[in-house]
Amino acid sequence: MSSRVLTFVLTLASISVQQISTFRRLGGLGVNPELRKVDTLLNPANYDRRQTPTANTDGASRVTIELYIRSFGSINPIQMDYSVDLYLRQRWVEHRLNGSLVRPLDSNDPTLVKMLWKPEVYFPNAKDGDFQYVTVPNVLVRIYPDGSILYILRMKLRFSCMMDMSTFPLDHQTCFIQVASFAKTTRELELVWYNQDPIKMYKDLQLPQFQVKDITVDTCTLSFHIGNYSCLQAVFELQRNVGYHLVQSYLPTSLIVVVSWVSFWLDVDAIPSRVTLGVTTLLTVCSESSAFRDKTPAVSYVKALDIWMGSCTAFVFLALVEFTLVNYLGRHKRRFLFWSTYSHPQQAQRLTSFGSSTKGVVTVEADGSSVEGVTRPCMPVAWRREADLAKKIDQTSRAVFPLLFVAFNLAYWVYYQVLV
C-alpha cells in the first residue's frame, strides 16, 4: 500500500513540474505583463525601498500633497478637537521606474505597496487615527509610465484644535491640519502642496454647528535637535451657526425675563402672586444657565454666553428686588396701623391724630361675629404718599426695565457680531 501511495505522489509532482515549466515557456499565461515588469524592477536585488528616489543625486525628493476631505465634524469644544475623514494623496517621481510601463498601472495589493519607497509622513496635531479597512484596505498605488507615482490613503483622524471660547456661541474658530515628514529631514524630503486646489471638500459636506468660511494652505518647518523637517498645514476658518443657540438659549431666557415683568402690573397687595412669579422666573433662568454651562469647557475667562445668562439673571433678580421695595413702601406702615387700631385703640388714636383730618367707621369680623362702631383714624398724609410712591415705582418699572433690556441687547449684539 505504501509503495502505491509513494508512486502516486511522485506522479503528481512530475505533472506539477511539467505544468510550471510549460507556464514559464509560454510567458506566464494570465499574468499582466505590466505587473511582471514591476515585480522585476522592484526585486530587492535591484530596488532598495529604503532609499529615496533622489538618494544618488544628493537632492531632496519632492512629494506633492493633496487632501480630499470627505467628512468634517464632531467639533468638540470640551475636548478641543474635531474629527475628519480624508483621503491623503501623495505624488512623487520614482526615477528608478521611468520607462518601465506602457500604460498606468493601478494596484491596491499590500505586497506591491510594501515593495515601494513611500514618504514617511504623519500628522503632528493628530490625537489619534484609524486606517480604513472596510471592505478592503483603502489604499491605492498608481504607477505612470514616466515613473510618477500616485499614492492614496483613506484615514479617519481626530485633530487637536485649541479654541478661543471668549465669544462663544458667537465665535469664529481657526483649526489646522498639519502634514510633516517623520524620518527624513529637509535635505532628503521636501513636502509641497499640490498647485491646483490642494484642499478639496466633498460637495455636499455640511457641518452641524459651523460653516467653513475660508481654507488656506501654508508651509511650516519643524525643528528638532537632529535637524529640520518639512511641514505643511491647512488652515480652516470656521464660523459657528448661531441658530441653535438662538432657539435653545437666547430666546427662552429672553422670554423668562419678559415674564418677570408681569409682576409690575399686579397690585401691591398681591403678595403671593408676585413672590411666586419672581422666585419661579429666577430659578428657571438659573437652571437654564447651569444646563448650558455643562456643555461648554471650563475655561478661566468669561464667555459671551456667560454674560448673557448673568445679565438675564440680574434682570429677573432686580424685578424681585423691585417688588420687595414696593411692598415695603406700600404695606409696612399700614400693617402697623391695623395692629395699633384693633389692639390698642387709645394709643392708635394718639399716634395717628397728627396729620389726619377725618375718621371713619369700619366693621371688624372677629370670631364670626361683626363688631361695628370701632372708630379707626384715616391714613396719615405721609403714609399715603408712600403708597402712591410704591405705585409710581411699579408704573416706572413697566417702562424702565424693557428699555434697559433692549439697550443691553443692542450693546451685546453690536459688540459680539460687529466689533469683535
Side-chain angles (χ1 to χ4, degrees), residues 79-125:
Q79 300 295 331
M80 296 289 182
D81 56 26
Y82 64 98
S83 299
V84 173
D85 186 358
L86 58 82
Y87 293 84
L88 174 62
R89 298 173 177 172
Q90 305 173 69
R91 295 180 175 88
W92 69 93
V93 177
E94 181 60 83
H95 300 285
R96 291 171 287 187
L97 300 180
N98 188 9
S100 58
L101 302 176
V102 177
R103 60 180 182 273
L105 175 66
D106 294 340
S107 176
N108 67 337
D109 181 23
T111 303
L112 177 62
V113 174
K114 292 180 180 179
M115 296 172 65
L116 281 169
W117 174 88
K118 299 175 295 297
E120 299 171 344
V121 299
Y122 76 112
F123 298 90
N125 64 326

Side-chain angles (χ1 to χ4, degrees), residues 336-353:
F336 174 74
L337 175 61
F338 178 82
W339 173 82
S340 301
T341 301
Y342 299 107
S343 299
H344 307 281
Q346 301 297 331
Q347 184 180 4
Q349 174 65 28
R350 292 194 299 270
L351 288 173
T352 60
S353 61

Side-chain angles (χ1 to χ4, degrees), residues 156-269:
K156 185 177 181 180
L157 303 165
R158 188 160 59 96
F159 292 98
S160 172
C161 181
M162 301 307 298
M163 305 179 187
D164 181 10
M165 307 299 295
S166 59
T167 57
F168 176 86
L170 309 173
D171 53 332
H172 298 70
Q173 302 296 340
T174 302
C175 295
F176 302 89
I177 292 181
Q178 293 181 335
V179 184
S181 171
F182 186 80
K184 305 297 183 182
T185 62
T186 53
R187 294 178 298 178
E188 298 176 281
L189 180 63
E190 179 186 5
L191 301 180
V192 295
W193 286 113
Y194 189 62
N195 54 6
Q196 296 180 357
D197 297 331
I199 308 295
K200 293 183 174 62
M201 306 282 287
Y202 180 58
K203 62 179 181 179
D204 295 330
L205 179 61
Q206 294 182 355
L207 279 66
Q209 295 190 30
F210 286 88
Q211 290 182 354
V212 181
K213 304 299 293 185
D214 190 22
I215 302 176
T216 58
V217 294
D218 196 5
T219 59
C220 54
T221 302
L222 299 180
S223 299
F224 298 100
H225 64 282
I226 57 177
N228 298 326
Y229 294 86
S230 182
C231 172
L232 304 176
Q233 67 178 4
V235 183
F236 298 88
E237 299 292 341
L238 307 176
Q239 180 180 358
R240 190 183 300 272
N241 297 324
V242 74
Y244 170 81
H245 294 279
L246 281 176
V247 176
Q248 297 295 327
S249 58
Y250 288 103
L251 183 59
T253 50
S254 298
L255 293 178
I256 294 172
V257 173
V258 173
V259 169
S260 69
W261 301 339
V262 175
S263 64
F264 302 149
W265 275 264
L266 297 178
D267 190 77
V268 177
D269 297 330

Side-chain angles (χ1 to χ4, degrees), residues 342 361-374:
Y342 299 107
V361 178
V362 298
T363 300
V364 179
E365 300 290 339
D367 298 332
S369 60
S370 61
V371 180
E372 298 184 359
V374 179

